Amino acid sequence: MATNLLVTGSHGGDDPHVESKHDALMHAAMLGRGGYILKTRNWTMKPTAKDANNITIPAWDLVVEGRQIYIAAPTDVNIQSGSQGQKRRDLIVARYALNSGTGVETVTLEAIKGKPSAATPADPGIETGSIIGGAIVSDLPLCRVNLDGITITSIDTLVNVMQPLEDVWDSLTQPLLYAKFKWQDTKSFQPDAYGGGMQIVVDERNRLLHADLSGFKSTVNLSHDYPVFQYASGVKPSKAVSLGCLWALPVGNWAKQATWNANGTIMVVGGLSNGDRCMHTPRTLPIPDGVTFS
């Protein structure tokens, strides 16, 4: 029967009772059981080819299943030369090993050679056992080295960067942004008496836009894209964003799309005819990749 189950507490005497597995379990519970680059030293660096047979792994800090790995300095890992007319994919891994006799744990950087192929090379097999589950050998893939003949054509980083809690907190507390719009003074467009919010809500945390504008009736003929909605205040996109279909025209079963321009205006795609009745439906859509707001 266990007499003292407390890990982070004194058991008395000189016998050390805290083992690496205890610390690793706590870290794995908080950070996850995967393998990651920590956002500390050299986390922006990538593996590089020193020459045709040596790949330099940066001085990274890593964590895998709660166990921290410290690469003190950039380290070269040797790979075998490629073969003319053959392609190959090698993996460089951080290999955890436990000596079950002595209890000593080690991590080494190892190159695992892939099988050459004239057309479709594949990754070699690795040790995938769980350290927490009791595996005495387990590989964390760091990068893939792609060879075509004797030439290294590219190196793919396979391990992701773990975002620290301060970054996660900043993303969770990111406020909503707003863009406000107004009608032109020309009275060319008659807004609905009970229109929408005349705004776009930007949710950067979830990468979403919510367009809530207004329906209207056009009193003019327009034969080209026209900025019906004028910018009033708030944020603007870094480049034009397609908002999709925001208005239905009940006559003729038509629909009208919109584009939010970088200058803040919103144009109705295509022409409008005098008397067109544009019925608005608010819409939520994803923020396109590469679009920022200011």
Side-chain angles (χ1 to χ4, degrees):
M1 178 178 178
T3 57
N4 195 334
L5 302 180
L6 186 63
V7 174
T8 53
S10 175
H11 288 191
D14 298 327
D15 184 31
H17 64 279
V18 179
E19 302 178 42
S20 63
K21 65 181 180 182
H22 299 132
D23 206 33
L25 286 170
M26 179 64 74
H27 289 153
M30 294 187 292
L31 304 178
R33 292 179 60 157
Y36 305 95
I37 301 170
L38 297 178
K39 202 172 180 180
T40 50
R41 301 176 308 130
N42 308 303
W43 63 274
T44 61
M45 303 294 289
K46 303 292 183 182
T48 57
K50 183 177 182 180
D51 52 44
N53 294 101
N54 288 283
I55 307 300
T56 302
I57 302 299
W60 280 336
D61 295 319
L62 304 160
V63 63
V64 57
E65 292 195 67
R67 282 168 164 79
Q68 184 182 355
I69 300 171
Y70 180 83
I71 303 176
T75 303
D76 294 339
V77 180
N78 183 264
I79 64 171
Q80 294 186 27
S81 298
S83 304
Q84 291 286 359
Q86 298 287 307
K87 298 179 180 180
R88 203 178 77 214
R89 290 162 58 162
D90 292 358
L91 294 181
I92 295 178
V93 303
R95 172 164 290 176
Y96 167 90
L98 168 67
N99 185 316
S100 55
T102 63
V104 173
E105 299 167 285
T106 59
V107 168
T108 54
L109 301 181
E110 306 286 345
I112 303 177
K113 180 182 176 182
K115 183 178 180 180
S117 170
T120 56
D123 289 345
I126 62 173
E127 297 289 344
T128 59
S130 166
I131 302 171
I132 292 176
I136 62 173
V137 179
S138 184
D139 292 335
L140 171 63
L142 301 181
C143 66
R144 176 189 299 113
V145 183
N146 300 290
L147 297 100
D148 189 346
I150 61 173
T151 302
I152 296 174
T153 57
S154 61
I155 302 175
D156 307 320
T157 302
L158 301 178
V159 60
N160 293 322
V161 176
M162 171 166 283
Q163 299 302 316
L165 288 176
E166 62 180 350
D167 289 357
V168 175
W169 177 252
D170 287 345
S171 68
L172 290 175
T173 57
Q174 199 168 30
L176 298 176
L177 305 175
Y178 294 85
K180 299 286 188 177
F181 304 93
K182 61 183 180 180
W183 296 102
Q184 298 184 45
D185 296 333
T186 60
K187 309 300 183 182
S188 299
F189 309 100
Q190 297 176 355
D192 288 353
Y194 300 97
M198 294 293 281
Q199 68 179 7
I200 294 178
V201 181
V202 180
D203 181 358
E204 288 191 300
R205 183 180 71 186
N206 296 304
R207 298 294 294 172
L208 293 173
L209 296 177
H210 180 66
D212 180 16
L213 300 174
S214 177
F216 64 94
K217 179 181 179 181
S218 177
T219 63
V220 293
N221 293 315
L222 297 173
S223 59
H224 54 81
D225 299 344
Y226 190 81
V228 173
F229 292 82
Q230 299 296 297
Y231 172 79
S233 64
V235 297
K236 301 176 183 178
S238 59
K239 56 185 177 181
V241 175
S242 173
L243 300 176
C245 288
L246 294 185
W247 298 279
L249 277 66
V251 178
N253 196 29
W254 292 99
K256 289 293 182 180
Q257 299 188 48
T259 299
W260 187 11
N261 297 315
N263 66 2
T265 62
I266 294 177
M267 68 184 184
V268 178
V269 178
L272 284 171
S273 298
N274 188 345
D276 277 349
R277 173 75 173 87
C278 299
M279 302 175 65
H280 175 64
T281 300
R283 183 168 186 257
T284 299
L285 64 155
I287 297 174
D289 291 340
V291 175
T292 58
F293 301 89
S294 60

